[in-house]
């Protein structure tokens, strides 16, 4: 989702600052995007979203590189699955640290920067269908994602007087190209759905109302809408990009 979003925004002329905790992946992605778009419009900054000092340093570096920031796409992600009785405190805290506290630190620092710049801006959180619809065997993940969603609403309320918008894109089952779906999470979800990892995408496609798979580019399109002036009159909103799931309807 992160790479697809970067490409989508760069296609519209954006300069992009990539962030990741994995230095190898970060460097590889920066190299690939520079090859396609040029060295002047993309840069990479290492960041750990659970560390307050790391986030502050990442923003300072990003703003120095390009003279400020207009858009923040908060996309750090993990996934975990366990019945509630088997959910350890460590697993619970890991979800909260990255998906709740991490989004808080990223969002707070962006609000501070945008207020200092005095020109407004757009913050987009990558949420999840699970922020609205609970899923069995994933209480830590679902709760953290719900927290993220409500945080976005709070930022929308406080940011509005300063022209700062905050919206959420809720994906579901974006398997293609996702590191989250390349390991234990896929195995856990396959077990929960009584299928194999190879058949998992088909299972999710068939359970959707539209019977369609969801791809990273679909999420990127929704992000591009919220990031641009096309959504200048939208804040505190949600776009579900899940091929249709009645349980996650917002009303």
């Amino acid at each position: 989702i992160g790479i697809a979003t970067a490409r989508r925004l760069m296609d519209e002329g954006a300069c992009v600052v990539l962030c990741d905790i994995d230095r190898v992946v970060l460097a590889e992605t920066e190299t690939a995007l520079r090859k396609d778009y040029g060295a002047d419009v993309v840069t990479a900054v290492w960041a750990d979203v659970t560390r307050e000092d790391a986030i502050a340093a990442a923003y300072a570096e990003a703003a120095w590189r390009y003279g400020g920031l207009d858009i923040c796409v908060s996309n750090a992600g993990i996934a975990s699955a366990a019945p509630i009785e088997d959910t350890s405190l460590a697993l619970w805290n890991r979800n909260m640290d990255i998906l709740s506290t991490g989004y808080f630190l990223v969002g707070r620092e962006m609000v501070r920067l945008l207020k200092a710049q005095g020109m407004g801006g757009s913050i987009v959180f990558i949420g999840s269908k699970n922020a609205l619809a609970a899923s069995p065997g994933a209480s830590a993940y679902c709760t953290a994602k719900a927290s993220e969603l409500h945080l976005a609403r709070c930022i929308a309320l406080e940011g509005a007087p300063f022209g700062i918008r905050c919206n959420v894109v809720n994906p579901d089952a974006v398997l293609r190209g996702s590191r989250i779906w390349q390991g234990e999470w896929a195995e856990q979800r396959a077990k929960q759905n009584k299928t194999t990892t190879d058949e998992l995408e088909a299972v999710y496609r068939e359970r959707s109302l539209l019977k369609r798979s969801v791809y990273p580019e679909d999420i990127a399109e929704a992000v591009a809408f919220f990031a641009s002036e096309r959504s200048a009159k939208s804040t505190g909103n949600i776009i579900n990009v899940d091929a249709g799931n009645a349980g996650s309807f917002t009303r």
Side-chain angles (χ1 to χ4, degrees), residues 73-96:
V73 181
S74 191
N75 181 49
I78 60 165
S80 66
I84 184 66
E85 68 270 21
D86 297 329
T87 299
S88 67
L89 181 58
L91 182 63
W92 177 270
N93 284 340
R94 177 168 166 74
N95 277 271
M96 294 299 165

Side-chain angles (χ1 to χ4, degrees), residues 139-208:
S139 58
Y141 177 77
C142 293
T143 304
K145 280 296 182 180
S147 169
E148 176 194 319
L149 178 61
H150 211 56
L151 171 62
R153 294 174 174 136
C154 293
I155 293 174
L157 281 171
E158 294 191 36
F162 305 93
I164 299 168
R165 300 185 295 112
C166 187
N167 295 286
V168 179
V169 177
N170 281 338
D172 185 36
V174 183
L175 279 69
R176 192 178 71 186
S178 171
R179 281 182 286 160
I180 290 175
W181 288 93
Q182 291 172 1
E184 189 178 61
W185 174 250
E187 296 169 3
Q188 292 167 338
R189 292 292 87 192
K191 183 179 179 181
Q192 182 71 42
N193 286 279
K194 297 180 174 58
T195 188
T196 66
T197 54
D198 290 338
E199 296 296 322
L200 203 50
E201 184 173 337
V203 168
Y204 284 122
R205 181 174 62 247
E206 289 306 308
R207 84 172 186 187
S208 74

Side-chain angles (χ1 to χ4, degrees), residues 33-58:
L33 292 181
R34 283 187 168 187
K35 181 180 178 181
D36 292 341
Y37 293 91
D40 293 336
V41 295
V42 60
T43 192
V45 177
W46 178 86
D48 177 348
V49 299
T50 69
R51 285 177 44 189
E52 191 171 23
D53 60 338
I55 292 303

Side-chain angles (χ1 to χ4, degrees), residues 5 14 16-17 30 72 75 81-82 101 106 114-115 125 138-139 142 146 157 165-166 169 190 194 218 224:
T5 297
V16 169
V17 180
E30 180 186 30
C72 170
N75 181 49
T101 302
V106 170
L114 291 176
K115 281 188 175 183
F125 282 0
S139 58
C142 293
L157 281 171
R165 300 185 295 112
C166 187
V169 177
K194 297 180 174 58
D218 301 322

